Amino acid sequence: MALGTGMTGMAERLLSEAYLGLPEADPRREEVLLDQVSALLAMGRAKDALEKIPSGSNGPLAVRWGLREAMAVLVFQDYPRTGILLGKLNPEALPAGDLAWYYYVAGHLECEAGDFDKGMQLLDKATALSISPRQRSWMLVSVYQRRVLAGSVDEMTLADLKAKTETYKGQKTGFRFAMEYVVALHKIGREAEALAVIDNQLKLLGQSLERDGFLLLMGMLSEPNSGRGILALQELLRTGKDKDLQTLGLHLLVQVWSDGGNSRASGQLPFLVSLLKDFPDHPLKGELLILQSQLAFDLREHSLAKGAAEAFLQAFPKSDQIGSVLHLLAGISILGNPPQYRTAATYLTRLRDMAMDEGTRSALDIQLADSLFLAGDFKSAALIYQSSATGAKSHPGQEILAYQWINSLIEAGELNDAQVALDKLESVGVSIGEHRWRAEWNLVSRMQRDGRHQEAFSRVREILKTSEEENPGGVPLALSLRFRWMEAFLALLVQGEDEAISLLDSLLEQLAAQDPGLESKLALSELKASTILLKARALLDGGKLELATPLLEELRSKYDGSDPAQRSYLLEAAYHFKGDDLVAAQRLAVKLADSYPENPLAPISLMQAAQYAEKRGGDTFFKESLKILERLTNQYPAHELYFFARLHQGHLFRKLNQFGNAQQIYTNLSNQHPDHPMIHLALVANADCHLARAAQDSGSLDIAANLLERIFLQPDLPPDVVVEAGYKLAFAHKEAGRPKQAQEVLGSILDRYLLNPRTQSAALGGGGRYWMSRSILELGSLLEDGKAPDEARSVYGLIEVNNLPGRSLASAKINQLGI
């Protein structure tokens, strides 16, 4: 898009970043390099362009590379070589956009060869064949410069033009001679005199049409970095009368901004904003809006960029530049903060619907699928990737498309479909190459995460069997070794520690046999450490601490600082916890945080250490747990565990009967994290504190009721939470002497989660069923107090009907009420 709008410097930077970011095997890399070379040529950096043009290219882009080489050589005025290069090209093999450049080069060659008329005809043809406003502007500038600067100058002609300029000074004829005089001075290198003549003429001119030509000449003849030239072109855009000359001026101005980098471009953005504000119906409004949007986008002012692009769509709904603007809006959406991939997909869908040729639609399909994938709409992305992969049998990126198809199915959780697709790829003529094994890895990893351990284990074994027997060496070595690690890991889950240890010993032998150089290249050190950790885990699962200990020590010495070495502390701590050795478990968890405070596991280990201390029981260890949690919140205030650490501190204070401290923590959490998805936990806990203190402070019941009502009326909370809050809200009303409100709340609970066919008790978890039973018993009690025994009996019966806890108690209540 930047290249299309004339921001060539910006385009070259973006394309350079894109080229370096693509893998060497990516088929899109050559096309990106081609565009980068085009940008370099547009900036006049022919030497840099020549260095990047691949030599001896004979692929699909060979003819396009040949054209760019000819364009680069033309800049150096090596006309014989340019002619030879151009003669090798078949113009019919060039795409539409390149065909204009072919005639551009041919036209300049004819002019330099002395056939000015033929050269200008070719340049006019290049202008007519231009496929974008920016390309057309480039051609128009070239034609304008050729026509203005054509011919030679001698001293007699120069003297004659000077005399006529003076004779007809201030008259229309005098302005025409003055312009010819300026051009003549420029041709013989007397730039300062030429610019001085322009200055004099501008002083004589008001807002006449002739002024536009002199302003354009000032911009054209001034040094590229000259503020004088930039100001002249800006004035042309502000006060000009001739739209064609304004168009040429804008083209020259854009080149100056672009070639000057971000520092100069950023200074021009206010000019564009001001120009459009002062002249809302400017004749170049469309071009200016696109330029403003592109410039703002490159400067990361995404809101301004989006506003300008959307203003263009509204003002010019039938413009032939709609596609470019939609592309720009898609880019703004993708690179915004935060990215809006779904919005980008909407723009790309519009672009695809507008596309006239199959190649363009295919490219947009891939971009659309990428956006949907990044937006998390994996099912939609999978459908498009599948269509692209199976429809592009000779597409150079078919393997990547097929890989993304499988990945999308995996991310969507459609693991059965992913397996079927992987197994049938080659039978339907789709190649996935070496990407197959990465897709297989992703599949079995997702199976493992989803608990489908036996299926994953069977598939890994089949992969390894195929690699050994049917396709030796088919799986890359690094990935093959990792599949063997996965096989051992899954064996531990489905077959037990003995089988896993046997596989791990075999893998350790293989790893030890690898060449040290290869080990470094394949990054096998981490795999070795992971294998040792897994073997230690298998031994600990079997209760063999004495055999696991040497492995743990090896990890912490030989692989100190590695992720497996650090995880070994938590692994050993969990072993001691299961054995009820809470002292050792706590010590190991704290050791991890002490040794590796920057590791992501450190706050997790502190949380576990606090839990181990708490489980040791008694006020002393509750206080020790509080100190560990305080350390966690002080050292890691931005960690996601911060909220839960503070919450747990409140719970510990309640265990220590320090309700004031607990309430302060819960209140702070509610104020500091009002939008936290688990904030209801702090609200309920705070309400519990107030309920516990109701005997000492009557106002606590009303505070508790307000907190609980906030939860009870909040939409989209889990049913278990709402039922618990409802029961406690009813309890607060009852204790405050408001039995009617208590009865209404309890009745609402039954209506919402027990009697409503759409939200029956099946939606309740264990906690919700417990609080529902208590709600039923409390409502029955209130009905009894209200002298409504028949209704109370019916309510108690709901416990038996819904198989809720407390059936014996409910039966006793019914029996007490009699028939």
Side-chain angles (χ1 to χ4, degrees):
M1 178 64 188
L3 188 58
T5 56
M7 299 296 291
T8 49
M10 178 195 307
E12 195 278 328
R13 291 192 302 276
L14 294 173
L15 289 164
S16 177
E17 292 172 6
Y19 179 76
L20 294 173
L22 289 172
E24 290 188 13
D26 195 311
R28 296 170 294 179
R29 213 163 184 255
E30 188 179 3
E31 293 183 10
V32 172
L33 181 61
L34 187 82
D35 287 339
Q36 185 187 357
V37 167
S38 300
L40 289 169
L41 288 170
M43 295 166 65
R45 292 169 55 184
K47 181 180 178 181
D48 293 334
L50 275 174
E51 290 176 354
K52 290 185 177 295
I53 294 175
S55 59
S57 175
N58 56 5
L61 300 179
V63 65
R64 302 187 68 189
W65 282 123
L67 175 62
R68 276 147 187 80
E69 187 176 359
M71 293 169 67
V73 174
L74 178 68
V75 174
F76 292 110
Q77 300 181 1
D78 186 346
Y79 303 118
R81 185 182 169 197
T82 304
I84 292 171
L85 289 168
L86 200 69
K88 294 179 180 179
L89 303 179
N90 176 12
E92 294 181 1
L94 290 167
D98 279 1
L99 198 57
W101 292 116
Y102 174 86
Y103 289 108
Y104 168 87
V105 175
H108 279 290
L109 285 176
E110 291 295 339
C111 288
E112 294 299 332
D115 194 337
F116 183 77
D117 290 339
K118 185 176 180 181
M120 295 308 297
Q121 288 176 4
L122 289 171
L123 287 173
D124 287 337
K125 186 173 183 179
T127 304
L129 289 171
S130 298
I131 63 170
S132 71
R134 290 305 121 198
Q135 191 181 39
R136 184 173 181 275
S137 295
W138 185 284
M139 301 301 176
L140 287 172
V141 168
S142 182
V143 170
Y144 182 84
Q145 290 173 327
R146 273 287 175 187
R147 287 204 166 105
V148 167
L149 303 178
S152 58
V153 176
D154 54 34
E155 288 297 330
M156 185 180 297
T157 302
L158 194 66
D160 182 53
L161 287 172
K162 182 177 181 180
K164 289 178 177 177
T165 298
E166 290 297 324
T167 301
Y168 297 101
K169 183 177 181 180
Q171 301 178 35
K172 199 162 190 173
T173 302
F175 294 133
R176 180 173 60 80
F177 283 126
M179 187 166 288
E180 292 182 17
Y181 182 40
V182 167
V183 172
L185 288 169
H186 169 71
K187 287 180 182 177
I188 61 173
R190 291 161 63 176
E191 305 292 349
E193 291 180 57
L195 294 174
V197 173
I198 293 175
D199 277 334
N200 290 332
Q201 296 303 309
L202 288 173
K203 291 174 183 176
L204 295 172
L205 287 162
Q207 295 301 317
S208 64
L209 195 62
E210 287 82 2
R211 184 179 182 82
D212 291 3
F214 283 104
L215 288 172
L216 182 61
L217 273 179
M218 176 72 80
M220 185 185 298
L221 302 183
S222 298
E223 291 291 327
N225 295 327
S226 166
R228 186 182 194 180
I230 291 175
L231 289 173
L233 295 173
Q234 288 181 341
E235 186 178 349
L236 174 59
L237 287 174
R238 280 193 166 274
T239 63
K241 309 291 184 184
D242 188 321
K243 181 180 177 181
D244 288 339
L245 294 184
Q246 285 184 309
T247 300
L248 298 179
L250 179 60
H251 177 83
L252 293 173
L253 196 56
V254 167
Q255 281 301 112
V256 172
W257 294 347
S258 179
D259 297 348
N262 275 12
S263 59
R264 184 181 297 158
S266 61
Q268 302 310 317
L269 188 55
F271 166 72
L272 288 175
V273 174
S274 172
L275 183 63
L276 285 166
K277 181 180 179 181
D278 295 342
F279 301 94
D281 297 320
H282 196 286
L284 301 182
K285 178 179 180 178
E287 291 88 336
L288 293 171
L289 281 171
I290 293 177
L291 183 59
Q292 177 184 321
S293 180
Q294 180 65 65
L295 191 57
F297 175 51
D298 188 54
L299 297 171
R300 293 179 173 81
E301 295 191 27
H302 292 146
S303 179
L304 180 59
K306 184 177 182 182
E310 289 179 339
F312 179 89
L313 293 181
Q314 184 175 0
F316 305 98
K318 296 183 179 180
S319 169
D320 58 1
Q321 296 187 72
I322 290 291
S324 297
V325 176
L326 289 173
H327 257 302
L328 177 56
L329 282 166
I332 293 169
S333 301
I334 290 170
L335 296 178
N337 186 18
Q340 297 177 324
Y341 298 116
R342 175 67 66 179
T343 303
T346 301
Y347 293 127
L348 291 168
T349 300
R350 287 182 62 183
L351 275 168
R352 184 186 60 178
D353 294 342
M354 291 167 50
M356 301 299 292
D357 63 280
E358 188 60 36
T360 302
R361 279 195 298 274
S362 177
L364 287 167
D365 271 337
I366 296 170
Q367 294 177 44
L368 176 57
D370 289 343
S371 295
L372 291 170
F373 185 91
L374 292 169
D377 187 353
F378 302 115
K379 289 186 178 180
S380 299
L383 289 173
I384 300 176
Y385 281 132
Q386 178 184 7
S387 175
S388 298
T390 55
K393 298 297 174 64
S394 59
H395 193 286
Q398 185 192 46
E399 292 183 0
I400 294 175
L401 293 173
Y403 175 67
Q404 280 298 92
W405 168 27
I406 304 301
N407 269 352
S408 299
L409 291 172
I410 293 169
E411 291 292 341
E414 304 290 343
L415 304 190
N416 293 336
D417 290 346
Q419 290 184 79
V420 171
L422 264 171
D423 294 339
K424 292 186 175 180
L425 278 175
E426 294 183 4
S427 66
V428 295
V430 176
S431 171
I432 193 171
E434 65 178 25
H435 297 293
R436 175 188 184 88
W437 308 114
R438 302 189 185 282
E440 290 280 11
W441 176 265
N442 294 341
L443 175 59
V444 295
S445 297
R446 178 60 184 266
M447 285 179 169
Q448 180 269 315
R449 291 198 303 272
D450 288 0
R452 296 169 62 168
H453 301 141
Q454 184 61 59
E455 289 179 73
F457 182 61
S458 299
R459 191 163 188 96
V460 168
R461 288 223 149 159
E462 186 62 31
I463 290 168
L464 292 171
K465 179 182 176 183
T466 301
S467 176
E468 291 173 354
E469 298 178 3
E470 300 176 23
N471 186 20
V475 183
L477 177 60
L479 201 53
S480 174
L481 293 169
R482 282 166 174 77
F483 272 121
R484 294 205 172 279
W485 181 93
M486 180 65 80
E487 178 189 25
F489 175 77
L490 293 167
L492 181 60
L493 299 177
V494 301
Q495 293 194 333
E497 56 268 14
D498 290 340
E499 175 67 13
I501 290 170
S502 175
L503 292 169
L504 288 164
D505 284 338
S506 175
L507 177 55
L508 286 170
E509 289 179 9
Q510 282 185 273
L511 289 169
Q514 299 303 319
D515 180 83
L518 187 62
E519 176 182 327
S520 175
K521 181 180 179 181
L522 299 180
L524 297 182
S525 178
E526 189 80 8
L527 180 59
K528 279 186 178 181
S530 296
T531 305
I532 294 170
L533 179 66
L534 185 57
K535 184 178 179 182
R537 173 181 168 179
L539 289 167
L540 290 175
D541 284 356
K544 301 172 182 176
L545 176 62
E546 68 285 356
L547 295 178
T549 299
L551 295 173
L552 296 171
E553 292 174 350
E554 181 183 1
L555 271 176
R556 295 164 192 170
S557 58
K558 188 175 180 180
Y559 301 96
D560 181 41
S562 69
D563 184 68
Q566 294 170 39
R567 287 184 179 277
S568 72
Y569 290 98
L570 293 181
L571 175 67
E572 189 179 358
Y575 169 81
H576 288 298
F577 169 67
K578 290 178 184 176
D580 208 27
D581 187 352
L582 296 171
V583 175
Q586 181 182 332
R587 174 180 56 79
L588 286 161
V590 171
K591 173 67 175 174
L592 171 58
D594 288 342
S595 303
Y596 310 102
E598 302 301 321
N599 190 279
L601 291 173
I604 298 172
S605 69
L606 288 175
M607 193 71 170
Q608 291 190 359
Q611 292 169 348
Y612 296 146
E614 181 186 0
K615 289 182 183 296
R616 294 167 71 180
D619 289 2
T620 299
F621 296 114
F622 292 162
K623 291 176 182 178
E624 191 170 327
S625 181
L626 277 168
K627 289 180 180 178
I628 297 172
L629 291 171
E630 188 66 22
R631 174 182 169 184
L632 191 163
T633 56
N634 287 338
Q635 284 187 231
Y636 309 101
H639 196 276
E640 61 183 354
L641 281 178
Y642 176 91
F643 177 89
F644 298 100
R646 284 289 186 213
L647 186 68
H648 204 70
Q649 282 182 306
H651 299 345
L652 286 166
F653 278 125
R654 286 164 62 187
K655 286 187 176 184
L656 292 166
N657 292 318
Q658 297 180 24
F659 290 100
N661 289 337
Q663 284 176 283
Q664 186 62 54
I665 284 178
Y666 298 141
T667 301
N668 288 343
L669 283 175
S670 300
N671 293 335
Q672 296 167 6
H673 305 275
D675 299 323
H676 195 283
M678 304 301 284
I679 193 62
H680 57 271
L681 297 177
L683 296 174
V684 171
N686 202 359
D688 286 342
C689 288
H690 285 287
L691 290 175
R693 302 182 69 187
Q696 294 81 31
D697 181 4
S698 58
S700 291
L701 285 172
D702 288 334
I703 297 175
N706 288 334
L707 291 168
L708 292 164
E709 188 172 42
R710 176 178 165 185
I711 302 170
F712 188 63
L713 298 177
Q714 185 175 333
D716 303 325
L717 281 178
D720 285 21
V721 175
V722 178
V723 174
E724 178 185 357
Y727 170 81
K728 292 178 178 179
L729 174 60
F731 177 81
H733 282 314
K734 177 185 174 184
E735 292 298 305
R738 298 187 289 268
K740 183 179 179 181
Q741 287 95 321
Q743 189 170 324
E744 289 175 353
V745 171
L746 293 168
S748 175
I749 293 173
L750 269 63
D751 286 340
R752 288 166 68 180
Y753 297 108
L754 201 64
L755 304 178
N756 189 331
R758 291 179 298 176
T759 56
Q760 289 179 335
S761 59
L764 296 175
R769 290 167 60 79
Y770 166 79
W771 291 109
M772 180 61 77
S773 289
R774 295 197 62 175
S775 298
I776 290 172
L777 293 170
E778 188 64 47
L779 179 57
S781 177
L782 287 170
L783 290 170
E784 285 188 61
D785 293 343
K787 309 302 180 184
D790 291 340
E791 292 181 40
R793 188 183 298 107
S794 297
V795 168
Y796 289 136
L798 291 173
I799 290 181
E800 178 71 31
V801 171
N802 292 280
N803 194 27
L804 294 170
R807 281 175 289 174
S808 58
L809 182 56
S811 297
K813 291 278 189 181
I814 293 172
N815 291 333
Q816 288 176 7
L817 289 171
I819 300 175

